Amino acid sequence: MVKSNLVIVFLCICLLCCPESLLAQDMNAISAIPRVDVHSHVGSVGRMEHYVKVGEALKDQYGINLAVWIDLNFMRQSDGTEEEYLYAAGTRYKGRFLPCINDFKISDGLRYPPEELAKWQQKGIVGYKIWVGVSPLIDRPANDATFTKMEEIGMVGASIHISQPYPTSWCDDPVKFWEAHNAWERVLDRHPKLKVVNAHMLDHFNSDEQLDYLIYVLETYPNVHVDLGARFQQFNRMDRDKLRSFMIKYADRILFGTDIGGQPAEGKYRQVAESYYRAFQLLETDKVVKGGFFSGTETRGLALPAGVLEKIYYRNAVRLYPRVKDVLKNLGYDRND
Ligand SMILES: [Zn+2]
């Protein structure tokens, strides 16, 4: 009896004196959360094995599971037929690459008419990527039939890119910046059931005031979500506490993404893995991190709770994109979702 009491006392002392070891345990649990990169530009069969090698480097170096890439560049860097891409993505790589039809130039109208969308969905396409940029063209009446069809069949608008960061060299004209956003709001008003992930935090991620507008959008349009692609380097442009509260409050609406593109070069897999690691550290720890996914200035991480990270890393993707749930399950990430 005395002995067991001593054991309990010893354990209590350990708990009081060793918060680091508890923290380490938590970080191990966080490392195990599978991650879906919803904003990637893979584009071809030949590149897939290089992305998988980046995933292996992350696993080897940090024990982190980068499981799935939503590929916004389906067939844009074609090195084979559609069938070859879909076979490689779906079968050879077990669904780890989930393709989106895409439209990177809408000045002459949307590339995919409504009558084609269901056919693409049946082939395994998980969303429709549209790049708009600093332009009000998304609001052209001719686009409405396609958006109506997407509402009907539940096809997600994947990383739809509206405007550009303002004020920067990407966009230094406030009138044009707002014209693009106002045009997008008019589309959302007409298509309330359209499920959307807007790219780059909707590019209202450059100041506390812009974050307030993003909050307004998320409050007004319940089917709008945002991805973090290429915005880790902007975390330090907002008040850290305000940004952290935002990420926690809107955890159901934020998805992990990087905007990775091209082919990770042989011999550079660890370097790319470190880019991912920096992005993860910014979300997971309160350490000062040396820049975002694409470098940038030193920024203190947000130390988000595990439940918030789970939503950002994969739960929201499971809810929004078809097939993600099954792919994760087949890869062995059976987390009772
Ligand atoms: Zn992108």
Side-chain angles (χ1 to χ4, degrees):
M1 186 66 183
V2 172
K3 198 175 172 189
S4 67
N5 281 346
L6 276 174
V7 168
I8 290 168
V9 169
F10 174 74
L11 285 174
C12 287
I13 289 169
C14 282
L15 287 172
L16 286 170
C17 298
C18 306
E20 302 83 6
S21 63
L22 286 179
L23 204 60
Q25 267 181 13
D26 289 344
M27 290 314 288
N28 285 340
I30 286 170
S31 297
I33 301 171
R35 289 121 209 260
V36 178
D37 184 343
V38 304
H39 192 140
S40 74
H41 299 274
V42 180
S44 77
V45 174
R47 288 178 178 177
M48 290 177 190
E49 66 169 297
H50 301 279
Y51 281 75
V52 167
K53 295 245 171 71
V54 169
E56 285 168 6
L58 259 171
K59 183 76 181 169
D60 289 349
Q61 282 173 265
Y62 305 111
I64 284 173
N65 300 304
L66 179 57
V68 175
W69 292 266
I70 305 280
D71 181 11
L72 306 175
N73 274 37
F74 170 61
M75 294 307 291
R76 271 176 72 79
Q77 282 74 34
S78 169
D79 56 357
T81 63
E82 270 170 35
E83 287 69 27
E84 283 165 343
Y85 177 107
L86 293 170
Y87 174 80
T91 304
R92 192 184 315 155
Y93 295 107
K94 301 180 178 175
R96 294 182 70 186
F97 299 92
L98 295 176
C100 296
I101 51 172
N102 49 69
D103 213 338
F104 286 83
K105 178 174 162 286
I106 65 162
S107 53
D108 50 359
L110 289 179
R111 186 172 156 200
Y112 292 93
E115 58 273 17
E116 283 189 17
L117 297 180
K119 178 193 78 179
W120 284 109
Q121 215 174 28
Q122 282 152 20
K123 283 186 183 183
I125 292 296
V126 300
Y128 186 177
K129 155 77 177 180
I130 301 171
W131 195 95
V132 181
V134 188
S135 151
L137 283 175
I138 195 69
D139 186 33
R140 290 219 301 213
N143 300 340
D144 273 325
T146 295
F147 290 129
T148 299
K149 192 65 175 182
M150 288 168 72
E151 287 178 287
E152 271 173 37
I153 65 174
M155 179 178 269
V156 67
S159 296
I160 292 187
H161 180 139
I162 304 294
S163 198
Q164 290 283 18
Y166 170 84
T168 66
S169 57
W170 297 93
C171 177
D172 59 5
D173 183 333
V175 175
K176 291 196 167 124
F177 176 76
W178 280 107
E179 273 175 356
H181 285 284
N182 291 341
W184 180 232
E185 271 203 62
R186 291 194 294 275
V187 172
L188 294 173
D189 283 332
R190 289 200 300 279
H191 300 282
K193 292 189 184 143
L194 184 65
K195 287 192 289 179
V196 176
V197 177
N198 272 129
H200 311 306
M201 304 304 275
L202 194 54
D203 268 324
H204 272 275
F205 207 62
N206 233 344
S207 67
D208 289 344
E209 292 74 19
Q210 290 190 1
L211 200 56
D212 285 335
Y213 175 80
L214 184 51
I215 290 168
Y216 151 77
V217 171
L218 295 177
E219 289 288 340
T220 309
Y221 303 103
N223 283 319
V224 170
H225 308 73
V226 284
D227 79 48
L228 284 158
R231 291 299 169 265
F232 292 96
Q233 73 273 23
Q234 293 178 201
F235 277 26
N236 60 353
R237 298 184 194 174
M238 290 151 282
D239 177 78
R240 179 180 179 274
D241 290 341
K242 183 182 172 86
L243 178 56
R244 187 170 188 276
S245 303
F246 167 83
M247 300 287 276
I248 291 169
K249 181 164 182 193
Y250 295 100
D252 289 322
R253 316 286 290 282
I254 300 165
L255 290 87
F256 178 78
T258 59
D259 209 6
I260 188 172
Q263 180 185 305
E266 278 179 55
K268 295 272 174 76
Y269 303 135
R270 286 173 77 99
Q271 212 169 306
V272 182
E274 276 163 24
S275 298
Y276 271 104
Y277 187 62
R278 284 198 301 275
F280 295 140
Q281 292 248 297
L282 277 170
L283 297 170
E284 295 169 16
T285 76
D286 66 354
K287 292 179 193 159
V288 174
V289 181
K290 290 180 179 169
F293 186 81
F294 296 110
S295 71
T297 53
E298 291 192 342
T299 304
R300 190 176 158 215
L302 298 178
L304 296 173
V308 168
L309 293 166
E310 286 194 335
K311 290 176 176 179
I312 292 173
Y313 284 158
Y314 79 98
R315 285 191 193 277
N316 296 337
V318 163
R319 200 177 69 246
L320 285 165
Y321 299 88
R323 296 171 55 203
V324 176
K325 183 178 180 180
D326 289 340
V327 169
L328 290 177
K329 196 172 175 195
N330 291 339
L331 290 170
Y333 305 112
D334 202 354
R335 298 173 66 92
N336 303 317
D337 297 304

